[in-house]
Amino acid sequence: MTTKYDYIIVGAGSSGAVLAARLTEDPERSVLLLEAGPDYAKIEETPEDLLNSYWISAVDHDWGFKADAVEGREIVYTRGKVTGGSSAVNGAVAIRGVPQDYDEWASLGNEAWAWEKCLPFFRKLEDDQDESGDFHGKGGPIPVVRWKDEELRPLQKAFKDVCLERGFPFHEDFNAPDATGMSPLAQNREGRTRISTAIGYLSGIRGRLNLTIRPHCLVRRVLIEDGRAIGLEVESGGETQRVEGNEIILSAGAVQSPPILLRSGIGAKDEVEALGIPLVHESPGVGHNLIEHPMAAVLCAPKEGVIDMEKPLVQTLLRYTADGGEENDMQMYMMNHIDLRDLPEMMENFGIEVAFGVFPGLQRPQSRGHLRVESMDPSEAPGIELNFLDTEADKRRMREGMRIAWEVTNSPAVMEHVDHILLLDQETIDDDEALDQYVWDTAIQIFHPVGTAKMGPAEDPEAVVDQYGRVHGVDGLRVADASIMPNITRANTNLTCIMIGEKVAASIRGE
Ligand SMILES: Cc1cc2nc3c(=O)[nH]c(=O)nc-3n(C[C@H](O)[C@H](O)[C@H](O)COP(=O)(O)OP(=O)(O)OC[C@H]3O[C@@H](n4cnc5c(N)ncnc54)[C@H](O)[C@@H]3O)c2cc1C
């Protein structure tokens, strides 16, 4: 007998795990949740790298992707491969976009995503330990907690003080709609334990008979008959198998949902046909509109005793508006420690094992990248072209960010911890061209790819899905993850991906 599920969800990450949890609240709906990585059912069985929110996990549960940051320069492109997805390996920064981000999505023909319609789902997902009132939730699956002043590491305290001295305002709550300036970082953790969606959403519902979680299942493509998705082709246990569902939901993330669509015949005609398969539905936006937050750094060699790798990576965050930019279009972090042992070339060049740094990051980049899928084999990594710094406005804001970071670093409060500054000098900082070159040569990602299967009305030729995540032109198929954001949020993307899972689940349930 073939089992047929009501819903098959591909990818148990920030959005997929949430969908599985919410859809199976109704005992009449059966869900198969397929995940390429492993699954740890209990916290006690979960490896330390997935629990320790003080550091990101970039090795043990990673897909091993590389991306071109700019033409010809490759960087590591970490993506979580485990139940919980990237929420299980990330920095646990728990901040929402600004209201204008979601209102912009609505203005692009996705009315359901206006800020006031997203807010109830942000409240539903969280259990805010510090704040209450109209903008915050209590009792949700994801705890949100902010660092207290007395918990700040000396570098964080210095960063905070210098930013305030420079006139940036203080806001104790980054998730208030009007927040800007310096704030203690809000994180989804309990003590040191990162609360991923696997822990927050799945751990308490594993007994549900209508929920089947299958790890180590690599989805190859969607099976489509007469314009309707009927199931999936999946690699599991060394075999290629088929599984059927009434509705298929791709939540494999912004780097991996589009390749599944392309391998199923949905995408730009030439890109699908280059894979040697027939076009099922022409959708030129698949894999395009790749948006990522770039960041660069003023890196410092620390004085003896400044760095303790056992302590948190980041505890404060500055949000500001660039000269001539959009509100809150920049972030700045003080990273307490950077392990150069992971970057042997730099370690050798600098002759040190650990560094710290001040990192400006662009939150509203204009540059757009794309994915390249050249094989039907799902284990072959897609080409990821981030195309950073493709516009003058992006370069200008990064230059300004670097100059602010340079001044912050050179303040007495920070310099107290600095042995010497690495790579940069005043001459480079003062020269637009030299500074652009520095950023071009060193900019990395903040790990926030979005937009590669963007939502929008059918009249928009670049829109891949409608505002409920339904793939245009194919019945019974949705995408619900970071891919569907039409533009990136001015914030780290995890909470928004969880909100997407909540909201798409509610719309499927007719709520
Ligand atoms: C290192 C790192 C640090 C980050 N730090 C932060 C942070 O501090 N705060 C923040 O807000 N955001 C952060 N982010 C970003 C945030 O975690 C992501 O935006 C978010 O998790 C993406 O959610 P998603 O559901 O789109 O994809 P994911 O959570 O990545 O889930 C996709 C899932 O699909 C699975 N999958 C993929 N392909 C297949 C396939 N073919 N078959 C079966 N399964 C498949 C993957 O294994 C994965 O589990 C970080 C990300 C990374 C990688």
Side-chain angles (χ1 to χ4, degrees), residues 16-324:
V18 177
L19 273 150
R22 293 303 184 198
L23 291 176
T24 52
E25 282 173 356
D26 175 355
E28 300 298 312
R29 296 168 198 255
S30 61
V31 170
L32 171 63
L33 178 59
L34 295 174
E35 168 55 46
D39 179 38
Y40 305 99
K42 297 190 181 134
I43 287 203
E44 309 85 76
E45 294 163 5
T46 305
E48 170 64 11
D49 66 297
L50 301 177
L51 296 178
N52 183 4
S53 69
Y54 286 6
W55 189 231
I56 60 172
S57 164
V59 180
D60 291 352
H61 296 89
D62 179 35
W63 281 84
F65 294 152
K66 297 271 170 55
D68 283 343
V70 295
E71 206 183 328
R73 184 166 62 80
E74 217 174 53
I75 56 175
V76 166
Y77 207 65
T78 307
R79 299 275 88 208
K81 187 178 187 180
V82 60
T83 45
S86 297
S87 81
V89 301
N90 71 13
V93 175
I95 62 174
R96 307 165 177 170
V98 299
Q100 297 95 307
D101 291 335
Y102 310 101
D103 286 339
E104 183 195 28
W105 297 2
S107 75
L108 296 169
N110 308 294
E111 304 78 32
W113 296 84
W115 162 244
E116 79 272 11
K117 294 183 180 160
C118 293
L119 179 59
F121 296 96
F122 278 118
R123 296 186 66 194
K124 184 174 183 183
L125 71 87
E126 74 183 6
D127 185 14
D128 198 310
Q129 310 291 298
D130 308 307
E131 302 284 336
S132 50
D134 292 347
F135 295 116
H136 299 288
K138 296 277 182 202
I142 302 291
V144 174
V145 61
R146 293 157 191 77
W147 290 100
K148 311 288 171 289
D149 245 6
E150 60 277 15
E151 296 173 317
L152 298 185
R153 299 281 303 150
L155 278 173
Q156 299 294 320
K157 176 100 182 53
F159 179 54
K160 177 184 165 191
D161 291 346
V162 173
C163 289
L164 298 182
E165 273 161 30
R166 288 181 57 88
F168 291 108
F170 178 75
H171 205 300
E172 62 198 8
D173 174 22
F174 239 130
N175 285 334
D178 59 346
T180 188
M182 166 56 58
S183 295
L185 204 62
Q187 288 190 301
N188 48 292
R189 59 183 171 82
E190 264 171 23
R192 210 172 81 146
T193 304
R194 176 192 293 111
I195 305 298
S196 66
T197 54
I199 296 174
Y201 279 85
L202 297 181
S203 63
I205 62 162
R206 286 173 177 271
R208 284 183 191 162
L209 296 177
N210 58 339
L211 172 63
T212 308
I213 303 174
R214 292 297 302 267
H216 304 295
C217 288
L218 182 63
V219 169
R220 179 182 273 268
R221 68 186 180 107
V222 184
L223 302 167
I224 300 169
E225 274 180 12
D226 302 325
R228 181 169 189 91
I230 57 152
L232 290 160
E233 204 172 86
V234 185
E235 294 186 3
S236 171
E239 288 174 21
T240 301
Q241 305 179 34
R242 291 162 73 103
V243 60
E244 288 184 28
N246 289 328
E247 182 160 348
I248 309 299
I249 306 172
L250 302 184
S251 298
V255 175
Q256 283 147 293
S257 286
I260 298 173
L261 289 174
L262 282 160
R263 290 187 188 109
S264 312
I266 303 164
K269 187 168 184 287
D270 55 337
E271 292 174 38
V272 169
E273 288 178 355
L275 291 168
I277 55 168
L279 185 72
V280 170
H281 175 69
E282 179 149 30
S283 184
V286 175
H288 293 257
N289 190 47
L290 170 60
I291 319 173
E292 167 68 275
H293 294 141
M295 67 177 174
V298 178
L299 290 175
C300 301
K303 281 192 179 150
E304 188 83 30
V306 168
I307 291 188
D308 183 345
M309 300 294 286
E310 293 303 309
K311 295 289 190 289
L313 179 63
V314 189
Q315 296 171 299
T316 56
L317 178 54
L318 177 70
R319 208 184 229 188
Y320 69 93
T321 303
D323 190 22

